[in-house]
Amino acid sequence: MRLKTFAFKTSAALAVLGLSLTACSSNSSATKAVGGTSDSSTPISGGTFTYAEVTPIKNWQTQAARFYEKANVLNSVLDRLTYYDTEKGEIVGWIASKFESNDAKTEYTFTIRDGVTFSNGTPLDAAAVKANLDALGLGIESAQIQPNVDFSAYKSSEVVGKSQVRVTLKRSDANFLRATTSVAAGLVSPETLKLDNAGQSAISKIVGSGPFVFKSEKADEEVVFAKRADYKWAPATAKNQGAAYIDELVIKYLPEVAHRAGAAQSGQVDLVRGLQPIDEQTLKAGGGTVYAASGVDLTANMAAARIGSGKLADEKVRHALQSGIDRQAIKDTVLSDSYEIAGSIVNHKAEGYVDLSADLAYDPEKSKKLLDEAGWKIGADGIREKDGEKLEVTVSSSNNSVVIKPAFELIEQQWRAIGVKLVNRAGDNTFLTNALVDSKIEFFGTRQFAYGGLGPVFGPANNTQTLNADEELNSLFVKEQAATTDEEHLKLVGDEQRALVSEKALTLPLWDEVQVYGANEKAHVEFTSGTAPIFQSAWKSKD
C-alpha cells in the first residue's frame, strides 16, 4: 500500500521537540494587536499570569471542549497529535513526529515521538494514543461519552512496532488529519479514560501532557495551574520549545462584560476575553493592548436556517432574508475594526475560502420581490402575511459573543423594512437550551469549529444549525471527504460554500469569527488558529 507522507520539517533539533497548542509563532500572524508594547521583546521568565474567561465551566470532559471557556484552558493542559500552522498553511507534527496516509484517505499512520510523558509520569506512547483514538472515534459507553463528530469515519486503530499507530477508517476522510489538531482531540492519560463521566468532567482529574498541570480550584471563581518544569515537546513551529515562561496560570471568571476592559487596564487580570467594541478604544488609550484573534478553525458568525421550519422551507424566503441584511451597516454600527465582514461561510484565512460577497450584497428590493413571489403579502401592520400567518421568525444564540445581540437588533430593523418581524433572543442562554433542538426556532446565531470540510457541521440529521440533513449537500460532503488530492479537496470545499450560501441560503453569514481580547501593558501573548491564548509562550514585562 502506498502511503503519502505529510509535510513535517525534520532536523536534529526536532528530536527534543514537543508541541503545545500554546506556542506556535505563526498564530500571531492571524491576530491583530493594537496598542500596548511590542511582542518582539525578549521573554521574561517567572510570575503569575491571570486570565479572565466569561463563565465558569462545570464539565471539562475533553470531547466536549468545543466551547471557548473549555478549549481556551484545556489548550494548555492537553497536547495533540498534530498542529495547524496558520502561517505555513499546513499541519505540522506535535506528539506525532510523522504522519502519512494511503491515497484513498482510509488509512493514516502516526509515528509517536519518544520521551513524551503525561504529568503523572506515565508514557504518552503508541498504546496511549490508540486508547485516545478509540475514545474519540467510538466514544466510551461505560462513561456515557459520545464519539467526537469529527471522527465519524473512524473504525479502529492498532499499534504497529514500537512507536507507530495505524488508523483504519470506515470510509475516505480527507479531513481526518486536520481534526487531530483540535483541542477536542486532546490526548489524556489512559487512567483518565478509565474514569466515569463525572471523573472525566473534573478538571482536577484530567491528566494531560501539556505545559501546565492542575493545582487548585475554587468552584465558580478560579482554577489555578502550575507550569510543568520538564515540558519539552511543543509544536514544531513553536517559539518556545521548553517549559512555559510563567510559573503559574490563574483562570478567573468575569461574566459582567462592562467590567472586562477595566479589569485588564487596572492590572486585576493580565488578559480578558470578550471586549465590547466600545471598550476597545478606552483600553488602548490607557496603554493596554487589544488582540483580535482570528478564528481560522471556525465558520463565520451566521444565522443558520432551520429548514424544518415551515416559514423557511421556501428557498425564496431564505434568499430574501439573505439579501435583506446590510452587513456593512452592521460593521459600521455594531462592530469595530477588529471584525471583518464575512465573504463566505468560512473565514477569509481558511483553506479553500471562496469569495461569495457578491451573493451577500444588500438588496432590499430584491428581498421584497422574492417575498412577493413566495406569496407573503404586506399586512396592515407592515408585516407580511400568508394563509393567515405572520412572517415572524425567531433567532437564538449563546452569549459567548458580546456583539451577537446588538447585531441581530440591527438585522431586526433591516428585516422589518422588507416586511419581516424578527424576535431577537440572541444572547439568552436560558432560551437557547431548548431552542437548540426546536425546529420552530427559525434561526440559530452561531459559529462552529470546522476542520477542513463542512460535513461534520451541517451533515448530521440532528445538527444544531439546520436541524435537518440536506441530501444534495450530504452527497457533496461525501465527495469532498473522499477527495484524494489537495486540488480536488479545496474545489469541493468551495462547492460546499456555494451550495450553503449562494444556492440554498441555508446559512446567512455575517462576519468572520474573531475573539477580541484585552491585555494590560505588561502582558505578551499569542493565539492559536482556534483563537485560544498560547500561555506556554505568554510572559509579563517587569515594572
Side-chain angles (χ1 to χ4, degrees):
M1 172 175 29
R2 193 164 67 101
L3 293 175
K4 177 181 178 182
T5 301
F6 291 85
F8 180 54
K9 309 300 188 285
T10 57
S11 68
L14 292 184
V16 294
L17 275 186
L19 276 180
S20 104
L21 226 190
T22 30
C24 182
S25 62
S26 65
N27 282 325
S28 58
S29 67
T31 304
K32 294 185 290 182
V34 184
T37 56
S38 170
D39 280 355
S40 62
S41 307
T42 302
I44 297 172
S45 295
T48 296
F49 195 101
T50 302
Y51 167 58
E53 251 300 343
V54 176
T55 55
I57 293 300
K58 307 294 184 184
N59 175 11
W60 291 94
Q61 199 278 321
T62 305
Q63 295 188 52
R66 305 184 78 87
F67 298 91
Y68 287 131
E69 292 93 339
K70 302 177 186 180
N72 289 355
V73 178
L74 289 178
N75 182 59
S76 295
V77 177
L78 308 176
D79 295 331
R80 266 78 77 201
L81 280 170
T82 63
Y83 187 85
Y84 183 71
D85 185 312
T86 53
E87 187 174 87
K88 295 178 179 296
E90 66 182 30
I91 299 170
V92 298
W94 193 341
I95 299 306
S97 60
K98 186 171 68 172
F99 34 89
E100 51 194 9
S101 77
N102 62 356
D103 289 339
K105 299 293 194 300
T106 56
E107 185 176 291
Y108 290 79
T109 301
F110 299 91
T111 300
I112 308 307
R113 191 182 306 279
D114 291 333
V116 180
T117 59
F118 292 105
S119 60
N120 63 0
T122 60
L124 201 177
D125 54 14
V129 169
K130 170 183 162 45
N132 274 269
L133 288 170
D134 284 344
L136 290 165
L138 306 175
I140 308 175
E141 186 175 356
S142 61
Q144 298 178 310
I145 294 172
Q146 297 298 312
N148 186 312
V149 65
D150 295 315
F151 288 73
S152 60
Y154 182 86
K155 180 180 180 180
S156 63
S157 61
E158 61 177 322
V159 174
V160 180
K162 178 184 176 182
S163 60
Q164 287 191 320
V165 179
R166 181 180 298 148
V167 177
T168 301
L169 304 183
K170 294 179 287 189
R171 53 176 168 76
S172 300
D173 189 354
N175 301 307
F176 176 80
L177 187 64
R178 184 73 169 82
T180 64
T181 69
S182 165
V183 67
L187 303 171
V188 299
S189 71
E191 289 77 8
T192 298
L193 294 174
K194 294 175 184 176
L195 298 174
D196 61 13
N197 192 283
Q200 295 197 43
S201 299
I203 188 63
S204 61
K205 295 184 178 181
I206 294 176
V207 176
S209 61
F212 289 90
V213 296
F214 175 83
K215 183 178 180 180
S216 64
E217 179 180 22
K218 293 180 182 177
D220 298 333
E221 292 185 25
E222 68 175 28
V223 184
V224 181
F225 298 87
K227 81 171 182 181
R228 185 174 174 186
D230 63 346
Y231 187 81
K232 55 184 179 182
W233 40 83
T237 47
K239 285 181 179 178
N240 177 17
Q241 289 296 313
Y245 299 126
I246 57 176
D247 294 327
E248 189 174 70
L249 172 64
V250 178
I251 311 296
K252 290 186 176 292
Y253 301 105
L254 193 54
E256 180 51 61
V257 64
H259 296 165
R260 293 173 192 164
Q265 193 163 358
S266 67
Q268 290 177 299
V269 301
D270 298 298
L271 180 73
V272 62
R273 181 173 72 87
L275 282 191
Q276 296 180 111
I278 195 173
D279 290 329
E280 293 182 31
Q281 292 299 327
T282 302
L283 182 61
K284 287 183 284 188
T289 304
V290 173
Y291 291 100
S294 179
V296 180
D297 290 346
L298 292 106
T299 66
N301 283 270
M302 60 179 159
R306 263 58 187 286
I307 53 180
S309 164
K311 295 175 184 175
L312 298 185
D314 191 331
E315 201 171 279
K316 288 184 177 181
V317 174
R318 302 198 300 269
H319 279 290
L321 295 174
Q322 185 84 281
S323 58
I325 298 175
D326 187 344
R327 292 164 176 82
Q328 186 62 51
I330 295 174
K331 162 84 171 180
D332 296 341
T333 307
V334 176
L335 308 179
S336 69
D337 289 341
S338 296
Y339 299 80
E340 183 171 11
I341 298 171
S344 180
I345 184 55
V346 300
N347 186 289
H348 277 79
K349 300 180 182 70
E351 283 189 295
Y353 165 82
V354 175
D355 186 358
L356 303 175
S357 53
D359 297 327
L360 299 175
Y362 180 48
D363 190 345
E365 294 308 312
K366 174 184 175 182
S367 298
K368 293 174 185 177
K369 182 175 182 293
L370 287 169
L371 291 171
D372 286 340
E373 291 175 357
W376 291 94
K377 305 302 180 184
I378 294 290
D381 59 356
I383 302 301
R384 292 176 181 268
E385 301 175 352
K386 181 179 179 181
D387 299 330
E389 185 178 28
K390 293 282 188 182
L391 188 46
E392 177 181 309
V393 294
T394 300
V395 64
S396 178
S397 79
S398 79
N399 65 356
N400 236 314
S401 169
V402 296
V403 294
I404 197 78
K405 184 176 181 180
F408 278 110
E409 287 173 351
L410 188 55
I411 293 172
E412 182 181 348
Q413 297 174 29
Q414 295 170 356
W415 282 356
R416 182 169 284 274
I418 61 173
V420 180
K421 180 179 179 180
L422 174 64
V423 178
N424 183 8
R425 299 301 298 268
D428 184 340
N429 277 19
T430 302
F431 182 78
L432 175 67
T433 301
N434 292 323
L436 276 174
V437 293
D438 186 352
S439 63
K440 295 189 294 295
I441 306 303
E442 288 87 0
F443 284 104
F444 179 29
T446 184
R447 69 279 206 219
Q448 298 286 328
F449 282 97
Y451 300 100
L454 294 163
V457 180
F458 291 95
N462 62 344
N463 77 81
T464 55
Q465 280 62 246
T466 60
L467 290 183
N468 210 310
D470 183 283
E471 291 185 7
E472 293 180 1
L473 266 174
N474 275 355
S475 176
L476 181 57
F477 295 151
V478 170
K479 291 179 182 178
E480 175 262 313
Q481 289 173 322
T484 57
T485 67
D486 290 343
E487 182 180 21
E488 180 188 9
H489 182 247
L490 293 180
K491 176 189 178 300
L492 288 164
V493 170
D495 290 344
E496 291 174 351
Q497 295 169 62
R498 294 183 186 91
L500 281 162
V501 177
S502 305
E503 297 166 14
K504 295 177 178 288
L506 291 174
T507 178
L508 317 185
L510 302 173
W511 62 87
D512 277 9
E513 171 58 0
V514 63
Q515 284 296 300
V516 181
Y517 293 81
N520 63 42
E521 59 185 4
K522 298 179 184 178
H524 302 257
V525 64
E526 297 176 327
F527 301 85
T528 71
S529 55
T531 79
I534 300 175
F535 292 120
Q536 186 208 15
S537 61
W539 58 281
K540 293 169 65 175
S541 302
K542 291 183 178 180
D543 293 333

